[in-house]
Amino acid sequence: MPETSSSLHVSPHPLVAHKLALLRDKHTEPKQFRELVRELTWLLGYEAMADLTLQPSRIETPLEPMDAQRLEPRVGLIPILRAGLGMVDAMLELLPTAEVWHIGLYRDERTLKPVEYYNKLPDAATVQVCLILDPMLATGGSSAATVDILKHWGAARVKQLSLIAAPEGVRTLSSTHPDVDIHVAALDSHLNERGYIVPGLGDAGDRQFGTFAGPASEPGHGPDPHTAEVVRNLQRDLRKE
Ligand code: PRP
Ligand code: URA
């Protein structure tokens, strides 16, 4: 895959690079980790919203009437549980009127396929622009499944906001949904045999919420042969491009 695909936006901002280094550091504890997720989301979210459309709005300043502008589309924030939760507050600071629609997905550790467990979307879409919030775009399975759900719901436009992406995940998402813009702080090297992003930051959910289940569940722990095969297939697809 080329360094950038048409829909991939890697933030060039030095503040983003600095905060991401702190976030990745294995010595960063959950409290600071959560603060950094929030700050990075704010910076990336600001960039991701740069092309939102505006509509004219007549207002009166204390001095005189004027033609101003307001955001046109209704925006929905779609955090993928659990790890996306830490990105919601920062986005609500930027867009206080946004609707928040949670989607519950976890990634099966062996197959790396997303498993849906929470979805309370109403029948018809209530927003035009959806911003998916999930710190990690690894195989891209969780994200692609969420875009499927949102398009089926009727969302006109979908964007993905993640902190770190793997090339394998960018390929999955941009080949299944080429119209989805992907905004990230970094594009990392590759997935390891357990489907974790390298160098990455480990497990974004566990690091935010302090839920460490022991060495066997750590990102570098030995792979299940089936999981390693899933990752090899993704990497083969990537090399074909
Ligand atoms: C993580 C992450 C993404 C997913 C990314 O969630 O937050 O949702 O994995 O992987 P993918 O791109 O290969 O689908 P996880 O399944 O660990 O659930 P959690 O947020 O509840 O910890
Ligand atoms: N989920 C994470 O939290 N981290 C990864 O590297 C991959 C999936």
Side-chain angles (χ1 to χ4, degrees):
M1 193 188 63
E3 267 296 288
T4 53
S5 71
S6 58
S7 57
L8 177 67
H9 307 270
V10 182
S11 175
H13 204 293
L15 277 180
V16 169
H18 176 79
K19 288 177 190 294
L20 186 62
L22 297 173
L23 188 79
R24 288 180 190 271
D25 192 319
K26 69 177 183 182
H27 300 296
T28 299
E29 298 290 339
K31 179 176 185 295
Q32 192 192 4
F33 192 93
R34 289 191 295 273
E35 290 164 1
L36 288 162
V37 168
R38 194 174 158 284
E39 291 163 8
L40 280 162
T41 302
W42 205 99
L43 295 167
L44 294 173
Y46 177 78
E47 290 178 358
M49 296 290 110
D51 63 354
L52 286 188
T53 51
L54 294 165
Q55 62 186 0
S57 170
R58 188 78 181 159
I59 61 163
E60 281 185 36
T61 77
L63 282 74
E64 64 173 13
M66 72 168 282
D67 292 321
Q69 301 185 94
R70 291 181 192 267
L71 286 180
E72 187 175 42
R74 289 197 62 76
V75 178
L77 306 176
I78 319 293
I80 303 183
L81 304 177
R82 292 175 298 168
L85 283 177
M87 303 172 76
V88 174
D89 284 354
M91 283 310 305
L92 280 175
E93 281 170 18
L94 291 176
L95 284 167
T97 58
E99 299 176 14
V100 184
W101 295 101
H102 300 82
I103 297 289
L105 292 180
Y106 71 87
R107 191 171 78 145
D108 181 288
E109 276 187 16
R110 185 162 176 272
T111 64
L112 301 181
K113 298 280 175 252
V115 181
E116 185 178 330
Y117 62 89
Y118 185 86
N119 176 352
K120 294 279 183 197
L121 291 174
D123 287 344
T126 55
V127 295
Q128 287 94 42
V129 177
C130 286
L131 184 66
I132 298 174
L133 305 175
D134 191 335
M136 309 305 272
L137 181 64
T139 65
S142 303
S143 170
T146 305
V147 180
D148 286 340
I149 292 169
L150 295 174
K151 286 187 173 172
H152 186 251
W153 188 43
R157 179 120 194 257
V158 183
K159 290 166 176 267
Q160 167 91 17
L161 189 63
S162 292
L163 303 184
I164 303 181
E168 295 88 335
V170 172
R171 183 200 172 269
T172 303
L173 184 55
S174 53
S175 60
T176 50
H177 296 290
D179 55 326
V180 172
D181 285 327
I182 307 168
H183 292 265
V184 297
L187 176 64
D188 271 10
S189 165
H190 64 280
L191 297 178
N192 73 7
E193 292 186 318
R194 289 192 56 198
Y196 277 84
I197 301 175
V198 181
L201 51 72
D203 189 300
D206 288 345
R207 291 198 65 187
Q208 283 183 80
F209 302 118
T211 49
F212 302 104
S217 70
E218 277 168 16
H221 191 74
D224 177 301
H226 176 71
T227 316
E229 178 64 17
V230 171
V231 173
R232 275 196 297 277
N233 287 339
L234 285 169
Q235 292 170 340
R236 202 169 300 133
D237 290 344
L238 193 56
R239 280 196 299 273
K240 278 188 209 147
E241 292 189 348

